[in-house]
Amino acid sequence: EVQLQASGGGLVQAGGSLRLSCVASGFTFDDYAIGWFRQAPGKEREGISCIRCSNDVDTYYVDSVKGRFTISSDNAKNTVYLQMNSLKPEDTAVYYCAAAERRSLPTPRLLFKAPSMTRRYPYWGQGTLVTVSS
């Protein structure tokens, strides 16, 4: 029953903005961490942000997106958003949202560097492509 659906990707010029959405169903939304991940061709999947990330961390951003991206949650809609501003060509990737029980996760500062990152988020959406042109 757990389902996640990412949407909102597209083609934008460098410096532009996009807002990605992740609609969740099939679980108690407030009990789950929602993470945003991306994968560019030839590169490893990268965790970039999360909300309700762990017992002690409510939001987190990796340095490469900090100050440009903002994660938020509309609990009434079971939806998490990723507002992406000042986009750069290196942001080009397929973006995925994923969910995990919040209490099961370590701090994202460590998790997002670990090979277990993907495994620790059991539920994944299908991804949405973001292309940033220069």
Side-chain angles (χ1 to χ4, degrees), residues 46-102:
E46 174 190 22
I48 57 172
S49 186
C50 54
I51 192 163
R52 299 184 295 274
C53 309
S54 65
N55 191 43
D56 296 332
V57 179
D58 292 329
T59 60
Y60 176 78
Y61 306 89
V62 296
D63 288 344
S64 61
V65 308
K66 191 177 300 180
R68 299 189 297 123
F69 292 9
T70 303
I71 193 168
S72 62
S73 180
D74 186 338
N75 293 342
K77 296 182 178 180
N78 283 4
T79 301
V80 167
Y81 303 97
L82 186 69
Q83 178 68 44
M84 306 187 297
N85 298 328
S86 301
L87 283 162
K88 304 174 181 179
E90 52 262 45
D91 295 319
T92 295
V94 177
Y95 284 70
Y96 302 88
C97 63
E101 289 188 6
R102 181 177 186 175

